[in-house]
Amino acid sequence: MGKKNAITVVVTALATLVCMLGTVIAQTDNGIDPEALIDRILMVEQRQCDSLSDVVYDAEYIEGEEKDGEFKEKVRFIKKIYVKYLPDTALYLEEYLEYYKDGELKSEKDRDNEAKKRKENKTKRNTRDVSFSMLEPFHADQRDFYDIRYIGVTDDQIDGYICHHFRVNSLEEVDDRINGDFYFEAESFNLVRADFSPAKLVKKMMFKLKTMNMSVSYGPTEDGYWLPHQFDISGKGKAMFFIGVKFAGTEYYRNPVINGGIDDKIFEETNGD
């Protein structure tokens, strides 16, 4: 073998070795490539987005507190929730139908007053709802703002599924970003659950959050769509005059009507109130 050919063989071997090392580095000990896994997860999300234009849910929100190891309900709302997906955003509407306090059905006036107050609190606390894509940190235009680490396949089932576990942390304390743990079903790559909190808590003159934790769980419909079925939220804060505020609640989403068609006017009328 000539000197030139020998050099060519060595260079080729080194290049092959570098490629092999790159593949090994990109994979975890169990042979899973996190980046390839994220690509598959986003592909599954995009496939559903392409076929999903709107959803209407029957919703029930229950708020209360634990005393002596037992949950005591304080308020309950029966709602209708409308979500319409647009190319770069989503329209969201909550219609409050019934309001119960300490088990008693309240008047329509009380219901509307309480609904208004809660919508204002949602804006004040920068609380997310089911219209948001929970996979936002994984999207290409957001990846530079997050540290995303693949933890591995879960030892225990998450809501009945074996899952891939990712941990997400915002690189900066910004109130429109999140930190959290994400669990994706190992076979279908759909999101099963996300446990998360704001990367920065709201702190304003009249209201300051100390903690806020949220969790959203998903599951398949008969048509194969993976949609939210439960949203949990809890937090502590201080309102004006140093009054302590605690809130905890669970919202259930049932009987989703998929692609039934929603008139944009219902969102316009609400925004104009």
Side-chain angles (χ1 to χ4, degrees):
M1 179 183 296
K3 184 176 181 181
K4 184 176 181 180
N5 289 338
I7 292 174
T8 301
V9 170
V10 171
V11 170
T12 302
L14 287 173
T16 302
L17 180 59
V18 169
C19 290
M20 290 175 62
L21 287 173
T23 301
V24 171
I25 291 171
Q27 294 180 344
T28 60
D29 292 339
N30 57 14
I32 295 175
D33 180 352
E35 290 301 322
L37 187 54
I38 290 173
D39 288 343
R40 187 66 181 272
I41 287 167
L42 293 177
M43 182 183 70
V44 168
E45 182 198 37
Q46 187 59 51
R47 185 185 302 150
Q48 175 162 301
C49 288
D50 290 342
S51 62
L52 189 64
S53 59
D54 55 72
V55 185
V56 180
Y57 300 94
D58 292 330
E60 180 181 30
Y61 176 73
I62 302 170
E63 188 173 277
E65 60 184 359
E66 274 197 13
K67 284 189 175 181
D68 301 324
E70 292 186 2
F71 179 80
K72 183 178 180 182
E73 177 183 317
K74 297 174 67 176
V75 300
R76 179 189 297 254
F77 291 96
I78 306 300
K79 300 190 285 186
K80 206 84 166 176
I81 291 180
Y82 303 82
V83 183
K84 185 167 185 175
Y85 298 97
L86 303 178
D88 57 353
T89 188
L91 303 178
Y92 178 85
L93 169 65
E94 289 178 308
E95 182 183 2
Y96 285 75
L97 304 176
E98 297 177 4
Y99 167 39
Y100 297 84
K101 186 173 182 180
D102 297 325
E104 178 186 350
L105 177 63
K106 308 301 287 185
S107 69
E108 291 185 3
K109 182 179 179 181
D110 288 339
R111 177 200 65 193
D112 294 343
N113 288 338
E114 188 66 18
K116 182 179 180 181
K117 182 175 74 173
R118 287 174 179 271
K119 289 175 182 177
E120 291 172 350
N121 285 339
K122 177 186 173 184
T123 301
K124 180 170 59 177
R125 296 167 181 169
N126 198 27
T127 306
R128 295 201 170 204
D129 55 54
V130 294
S131 70
F132 286 85
S133 169
M134 286 308 306
L135 298 193
E136 186 177 278
F138 296 86
H139 293 170
D141 62 344
Q142 296 292 316
R143 286 292 299 275
D144 289 343
F145 303 131
Y146 288 93
D147 173 39
I148 299 179
R149 299 188 181 185
Y150 179 63
I151 306 302
V153 177
T154 55
D155 293 326
D156 300 320
Q157 291 187 345
I158 304 297
D159 297 345
Y161 298 96
I162 298 297
C163 295
H164 294 289
H165 178 193
F166 283 87
R167 182 157 295 146
V168 171
N169 286 291
S170 174
L171 297 177
E172 297 178 290
E173 292 187 2
V174 181
D175 57 13
D176 62 350
R177 297 182 198 156
I178 60 174
N179 302 320
D181 291 280
F182 290 72
Y183 303 91
F184 299 90
E185 204 268 319
E187 292 186 5
S188 69
F189 305 100
N190 284 288
L191 181 61
V192 172
R193 196 175 80 203
D195 302 326
F196 62 102
S197 59
K200 181 180 180 180
L201 295 173
V202 173
K203 292 184 178 180
K204 298 181 178 179
M205 183 177 296
M206 303 301 286
F207 183 81
K208 294 183 179 180
L209 270 175
K210 295 180 66 178
T211 63
M212 185 162 74
N213 298 303
M214 292 169 278
S215 178
V216 57
S217 299
Y218 296 78
T221 67
E222 292 181 357
D223 297 326
Y225 291 93
W226 279 68
L227 298 176
H229 60 79
Q230 182 171 327
F231 185 96
D232 297 289
I233 182 170
S234 63
K236 297 179 181 178
K238 285 189 175 181
M240 62 183 77
F241 309 119
F242 305 103
I243 299 173
V245 176
K246 290 183 180 181
F247 53 96
T250 297
E251 188 157 85
Y252 301 96
Y253 309 97
R254 305 183 178 104
N255 308 318
V257 177
I258 300 168
N259 297 338
I262 302 176
D263 192 334
D264 289 354
K265 289 183 179 179
I266 67 170
F267 302 103
E268 295 169 4
E269 291 170 359
T270 301
N271 292 336
D273 287 345

